[in-house]
Amino acid sequence: MTTPVTTPTATVHEHITDAVKAPDLVRLAPGTVLARFETLKVYAALGAVRTLLRRGTVTPGQTLIDSSSGIYALALAMACHRYGLRCHIVASTTVDATLRVQLEILGATVDQMPPSRDLRLDQERRVRRVRQLLAHRPGMHWMRQYHDAVHYAGYREFADLVAAALPGRELTVVGAVGTGASTGGLVVPLRRRGRRVRLVGLQPFGSVTFGSEHFTDPEAIIAGIGSAIPFGNVRHDLYDTLHWLDFRHAMAGAVGLLRDHAVFAGLSTGAAYLAACWEAARHPEQTYLVLGADTGHRYAEAAFARHREAPEPRTLKPHQITALADLAPPWSVMEWRRRPHEQREPHEETADHKETEGHEETEETVA
């Protein structure tokens, strides 16, 4: 008897964003899967741009502007390239030359902040620059990835993919909090379908989002997973557990992921991998999905070149706390239990630009 030959299937994409938006799913352990993205925020940018075009909020040829520390900038530039929009990025000091030339060749114009080791100063400078540009060019549309819930919309497609690939058991999603849209946009539609989903968020020390702003991490270069200003898109009551990790622990996770699984991913992915390993050892009955937001290329010199300094992940464990008052570097974990955070004063970005749709838009776009 001859074995039938199967013909491999392949998809020819109409635009590169269709090719890069979906992650590679890689099994790291029997119950742990990594969703490794080239650029996670392609989902956010495409979903937001398509929704705004459909509503008539923006029109082809208009300029979209926003602040970014890296991967959202590229995602937005790619979405604008696809839909005939102009793009202006106010870039963090952490945006490197490789990313900047990609943005420029894609047609985006770029303002980059001067060098700074202060996350708060870098973010506040970027917001201030956006406001200056809007005052002189009011026809621009400010995307407000930090606050506009339209960025939840694109992750519904990711939720469909996860539901098909990982059916059945209780799911624990482990990922950087960042602007809130990637983790929130994934778990909200899954939970609405009746799936039991735990959400484990990652934060750097120094972020205001979950109350670690009184700490500093002098080596921190993973600004994209935390915030120096309050983010309206972070829905604190979606998160079950929070981990706070410093640079060296994130580096240990990223180096360990490359060494153990040949996966070259960024520092936020390294932090998520480290946290997921610890979580899985305590609750092996669950399925874990680790979100890998980007590749490791922009961290090659600052982190991966120092791989000999990285501690072995299996030797590391967090300080388990029950209150934010007990938070302490280099790694702490707390059961957040889906509660809201204390009310904070609005940042200048939201003070003059009220979210008229807010979470109502979230309900509409991810339902």
Side-chain angles (χ1 to χ4, degrees):
M1 176 181 290
T2 60
T3 303
V5 177
T6 58
T7 303
T9 59
T11 301
V12 178
H13 300 287
E14 295 301 318
H15 192 269
I16 187 64
T17 47
D18 287 332
V20 301
K21 67 182 177 182
D24 299 311
L25 298 177
V26 182
R27 190 169 300 281
L28 305 179
T32 303
V33 172
L34 170 69
R36 179 191 180 272
F37 289 87
E38 181 176 330
T39 307
L40 166 67
K41 291 188 178 180
V42 168
Y43 274 127
L46 281 179
V49 168
R50 286 170 176 164
T51 302
L52 294 171
L53 284 168
R54 185 180 70 247
R55 292 175 178 168
T57 305
V58 302
T59 57
Q62 192 170 355
T63 299
L64 308 187
I65 182 172
D66 213 348
S67 159
S68 174
S69 62
I71 62 175
Y72 180 78
L74 181 57
L76 183 60
M78 294 169 77
C80 287
H81 180 275
R82 179 170 188 169
Y83 290 107
L85 294 152
R86 296 186 176 92
C87 180
H88 187 96
I89 299 296
V90 179
S92 169
T93 184
T94 60
V95 169
D96 62 18
T98 301
L99 176 55
R100 179 161 182 150
V101 296
Q102 288 182 78
L103 295 173
E104 292 173 349
I105 293 170
L106 282 167
T109 50
V110 181
D111 275 326
Q112 187 162 14
M113 295 299 98
S116 173
R117 298 297 294 178
D118 186 323
L119 173 62
R120 176 178 292 277
L121 178 60
D122 181 67
Q123 286 187 324
E124 289 181 346
R125 280 174 171 170
R126 283 187 269 147
V127 171
R128 190 160 56 245
R129 179 56 178 160
V130 170
R131 293 169 66 85
Q132 290 171 350
L133 290 166
L134 288 169
H136 290 91
R137 298 178 62 187
M140 288 180 164
H141 178 80
W142 190 358
M143 292 298 292
R144 289 175 295 154
Q145 64 152 327
Y146 305 140
H147 301 287
D148 193 335
V150 72
H151 288 89
Y152 275 61
Y155 291 106
R156 182 173 56 185
E157 186 178 347
F158 182 29
D160 292 339
L161 185 154
V162 169
L166 301 174
R169 300 165 67 189
E170 179 176 348
L171 180 67
T172 295
V173 174
V174 185
V177 174
T179 66
S182 58
T183 45
L186 172 60
V187 303
V188 167
L190 289 174
R191 286 175 179 170
R192 286 197 182 135
R193 297 171 192 176
R195 183 79 180 266
R196 294 183 62 192
V197 182
R198 289 181 63 234
L199 180 55
V200 177
L202 283 301
Q203 283 278 276
F205 287 96
S207 172
V208 307
T209 305
F210 282 91
S212 68
E213 62 267 30
H214 52 292
F215 291 96
T216 58
D217 181 0
E219 294 188 286
I221 57 172
I222 46 174
I225 78 170
S227 174
I229 58 178
F231 284 175
N233 268 343
V234 175
R235 295 174 53 181
H236 295 81
D237 58 357
L238 294 177
Y239 296 84
D240 296 280
T241 306
L242 263 295
H243 287 253
W244 295 260
L245 299 97
D246 70 359
F247 165 82
R248 293 184 66 82
H249 281 66
M251 178 176 70
V255 171
L257 184 61
L258 180 56
R259 180 178 293 126
D260 296 342
H261 300 284
V263 175
F264 186 47
L267 288 180
S268 67
T269 309
Y273 173 61
L274 188 63
C277 289
W278 184 81
E279 292 277 346
R282 297 172 69 241
H283 302 288
E285 73 282 359
Q286 297 176 15
T287 297
Y288 292 83
L289 178 66
V290 180
L291 301 186
D294 60 354
T295 67
H297 293 86
R298 64 176 173 152
Y299 304 106
E301 293 185 12
F304 288 97
R306 299 170 55 184
H307 62 90
R308 292 179 181 84
E309 302 173 31
E312 166 56 49
R314 294 174 185 82
T315 67
L316 304 175
K317 62 181 181 180
H319 174 49
Q320 299 181 61
I321 63 173
T322 57
L324 286 175
D326 300 322
L327 190 63
W331 181 8
S332 290
V333 60
M334 177 178 169
E335 295 305 314
W336 190 259
R337 305 186 193 283
R338 305 190 190 184
R339 68 175 188 269
H341 202 14
E342 67 268 19
Q343 184 65 40
R344 296 180 180 276
E345 291 299 315
H347 187 260
E348 64 170 357
E349 182 175 335
T350 52
D352 294 339
H353 296 267
K354 300 295 185 184
E355 292 302 316
T356 58
E357 294 166 287
H359 294 319
E360 292 179 6
E361 187 164 20
T362 303
E363 300 295 319
E364 171 197 333
T365 55
V366 303

